[in-house]
Amino acid sequence: MDVHVIPGVIQESDADAIVVNLFEDVQHPGGATGAVDAALNGAIDELIASGDFTGQVGQVAVLYPRGAIPARRVILVGLGPRAEFYADPAEGVRRAAASAIQKARDLETKRVVSILHGAGAGGLSVEDAARAVVEGSLLGLYEYQGQKTEAHSKEPPQVLELVIFGEEDVPAAQQGVERGCVIAQSVALTRDLVNLPPNICTPAYLAQTAAEVAAEVGLDVRVLDREQMEALNMGALLAVAQGSDAPPKFIILEHNADRSDELDTLVLVGKGITFDTGGYSLKGHEGMATMKTDMAGAAVVIGALRAIGMLDLPLHVVGLTPASDNMISGRAYRPQEVVTASNGATIEIKSTDAEGRMLLADALVYARRFEPTAVVDIATLTGACVVALGKGIAAGLFSTDDALRDALLGASKATAEKLWPLPLFPEYKKRLESQTADLRNSADRMDGVGTSATFLKQFVDYPAWAHVDMAGMAYGIKGIPYIPEKSSTGFGVRLFVELARRWKR
Ligand code: BES
Ligand code: MN
Ligand code: ZN
């Protein structure tokens, strides 16, 4: 879908559908909605008076102007109660825009013209409003076609135009549109990678995709193969990988590599388990059923680096994605084995299903060579975190640095990709003690949340590190219009891009 900004007034548009909005409990709409209502001789007033439309969040009505204005349809979308909208206007706009454009798609419209929800009285700047409308619209239209041999869905609208009343606001709106498009396309790339089946989305496929993204955007890319990982003594990662016939890959993407002296360095690390059977600590069939999504962290890092590169943010950003299957075979690692990570630490395998932290351990050690200002990893790491915070509610956030934690929470607030801080109490370390090695890779069942992050912390030797456990957030979230229900969410891409965008030295 192409998105344009046009100056003008919406009631003069001859689009297939124009989109206006309404707060809950408004009897007589003002602003652009009021202007359309006046042109329609009070049709919206009447709709409200009838009680058929209250302006609830996500409520959508379609009106037919019968020649009163040039447009063929008017789509009216509810913004909910004013106070709730103002609590997070950007999120309100993303949701409203998604609901409206989905209606426009259902009606098979080709050209949609929308007002800039949330600008002016809504409290958002023109740029932020435009970005939110574009993000909501594009993310709301996302569909994963999979390998179906026949297309099963309706064609989305070809054009979305945003009308701006003041000519002087056009450049700001255009800026917002461009940013929104880059971000939404990058989220779509991440969603696609996570949605792909595990026989297609292998470590090699992730590496290939990263190389294509690098060529498209102008990033540096390197992919380490098994031999190179052996040379680096990545014994933790390789222990997981040795059970699979699919060769592991360690993918390195870099934005502004040539300016690393003058710019801060942010290293993003993503868990790339392309399928998690649990290994010999085998998962049950229900637990295993969604484990193609266990590379969501890696997909987030690839998607975020695409957007960061395209937006050309003034920061040196490195993306590290260790990628492997976790399988069973005659070569697979077993409980009670002891392996040595690339920092020399020995790890007793208590559970082969605690494989993500093994990959991340060697990646966090590798991150050090970039002399990072900050390192943030993201991973579908523990079921315990899902139990702690709820499925589809928030990701867990652990950090050794208050400023980095606050920066992530700020980005989280701005993107509505929720994070909730969890502790790194020193007591957790004891729970990881091993009889036979420096530490064991998992603790007892009741100690699930803090110990996983504490395990990772053993491989960190730079001051600012944060860990995002997104196990509950990768797939199948209900009730958010711009996130399809039976799909990957893309959670984390907007968060990381916003973190980089707001970076302050
Ligand atoms: N990939 C899983 C975590 C997960 C669970 C992600 C549910 C998404 C939804 C991870 O590798 C895992 O198996 N974790 C174990 C850790 C345990 C063995 C210490 C878990 O959570 O049970
Ligand atoms: Mn596992
Ligand atoms: Zn896993």
Side-chain angles (χ1 to χ4, degrees):
M1 189 171 71
D2 290 333
V3 188
H4 308 292
V5 176
I6 48 166
V9 289
I10 196 152
Q11 64 271 26
E12 288 171 9
S13 164
D14 62 354
D16 297 322
I18 60 171
V19 180
V20 292
N21 64 38
L22 193 72
F23 282 114
E24 197 165 323
D25 294 329
V26 169
Q27 297 308 317
H28 306 289
T33 308
V36 171
D37 187 39
L40 294 178
N41 268 318
I44 296 177
D45 255 21
E46 191 182 330
L47 181 67
I48 298 165
S50 73
D52 294 356
F53 191 89
T54 59
Q56 271 173 15
V57 176
Q59 196 180 17
V60 177
V62 185
L63 292 90
Y64 295 86
R66 309 186 68 213
I69 54 174
R72 291 192 50 201
R73 301 172 188 82
V74 177
I75 295 178
L76 183 62
V77 62
L79 297 179
R82 227 176 257 274
E84 280 173 34
F85 179 88
Y86 283 123
D88 188 351
E91 178 65 1
V93 171
R94 282 188 288 269
R95 292 184 183 208
S99 298
I101 203 88
Q102 284 161 358
K103 188 60 167 182
R105 176 184 56 196
D106 293 346
L107 300 173
E108 300 189 61
T109 59
K110 299 267 172 281
R111 187 167 144 252
V112 179
V113 175
S114 176
I115 58 165
L116 211 51
H117 310 292
L124 291 175
S125 69
V126 167
E127 181 187 332
D128 287 350
R131 190 171 75 157
V133 171
V134 171
E135 284 182 4
S137 302
L138 296 183
L139 294 177
L141 288 176
Y142 174 88
E143 270 184 308
Y144 176 66
Q145 301 287 350
Q147 286 68 46
K148 285 179 185 287
T149 48
E150 267 172 62
H152 61 289
S153 54
K154 290 190 170 158
E155 284 287 317
Q158 285 156 6
V159 183
L160 172 64
E161 291 172 2
L162 304 181
V163 268
I164 313 292
F165 182 65
E167 187 105 36
E168 68 283 1
D169 286 333
V170 169
Q174 235 136 17
Q175 180 84 268
V177 167
E178 271 160 43
R179 292 188 177 159
C181 284
V182 167
I183 291 168
Q185 287 158 3
S186 303
V187 174
L189 167 70
T190 296
R191 286 180 178 177
D192 280 343
L193 287 172
V194 178
N195 283 328
L196 278 168
N199 55 326
I200 294 178
C201 189
T202 59
Y205 186 95
L206 282 178
Q208 173 66 30
T209 305
E212 285 165 15
V213 166
E216 177 192 11
V217 180
L219 304 169
D220 288 329
V221 62
R222 274 184 71 200
V223 178
L224 308 184
D225 59 20
R226 201 190 300 263
E227 286 68 39
Q228 288 165 300
M229 289 185 252
E230 275 163 6
L232 289 162
N233 301 312
M234 293 185 167
L237 193 170
L238 289 167
V240 175
Q242 75 198 25
S244 175
D245 290 338
K249 303 286 173 190
F250 191 100
I251 307 158
I252 305 149
L253 284 169
E254 208 169 345
H255 167 63
N256 280 333
D258 51 342
R259 296 174 64 197
S260 59
D261 287 345
E262 58 176 298
L263 299 171
D264 276 3
T265 296
L266 171 64
V267 181
L268 303 174
V269 183
K271 170 179 171 179
I273 292 290
T274 46
F275 196 78
D276 183 10
T277 66
Y280 278 99
S281 311
L282 190 63
K283 288 184 182 297
H285 61 91
E286 269 177 32
M288 204 187 297
T290 56
M291 282 301 126
K292 73 173 184 182
T293 67
D294 213 18
M295 35 58 73
V300 167
V301 169
I302 294 170
L305 265 112
R306 179 187 184 276
I308 288 166
M310 275 201 157
L311 298 172
D312 199 15
L313 300 182
L315 193 65
H316 174 217
V317 185
V318 181
L320 302 179
T321 61
S324 168
D325 275 341
N326 185 25
M327 301 290 285
I328 287 178
S329 80
R331 292 182 313 277
Y333 79 145
R334 296 157 295 186
Q336 297 199 305
E337 289 192 5
V338 174
V339 302
T340 307
S342 45
N343 66 343
T346 56
I347 306 165
E348 178 199 352
I349 307 307
K350 184 173 173 242
S351 169
T352 61
D353 200 10
E355 84 298 337
R357 62 197 74 183
M358 303 289 286
L359 265 64
L360 293 174
D362 280 326
L364 289 170
V365 171
Y366 192 84
R368 181 186 174 183
R369 70 183 55 212
F370 298 98
E371 296 170 29
T373 319
V375 178
V376 184
D377 76 69
I378 186 161
T380 48
L381 204 66
T382 67
C385 191
V386 190
V387 173
L389 297 176
K391 160 96 177 131
I393 305 292
L397 173 62
F398 301 82
S399 182
T400 55
D401 182 83
D402 289 346
L404 179 60
R405 177 190 297 113
D406 290 347
L408 276 157
L409 290 174
S412 168
K413 182 81 190 58
T415 55
E417 295 200 314
K418 284 209 203 63
L419 298 176
W420 194 256
L422 293 169
L424 283 166
F425 293 132
E427 287 83 349
Y428 291 130
K429 178 76 199 299
K430 277 233 164 292
R431 310 290 167 101
L432 290 167
E433 279 178 3
S434 160
Q435 299 275 306
T436 57
D438 297 338
L439 70 166
R440 55 180 187 169
N441 78 333
S442 92
D444 295 328
R445 201 172 67 86
M446 296 300 193
D447 300 328
V449 171
T451 53
S452 54
T454 301
F455 178 92
L456 297 177
K457 187 167 166 261
Q458 308 313 308
F459 300 89
V460 169
D461 66 351
Y462 22 82
W465 164 71
H467 160 59
V468 176
D469 190 336
M470 61 166 293
M473 306 306 290
Y475 197 89
I477 294 184
K478 294 195 175 77
I480 301 176
Y482 62 84
I483 303 180
E485 282 189 6
K486 287 178 187 146
S487 162
S488 142
T489 60
F491 178 94
V493 175
R494 292 187 303 114
L495 177 77
F496 278 180
V497 176
E498 191 64 20
L499 176 72
R501 209 176 70 85
R502 296 163 160 237
W503 198 263
K504 300 235 163 53
R505 298 179 70 99

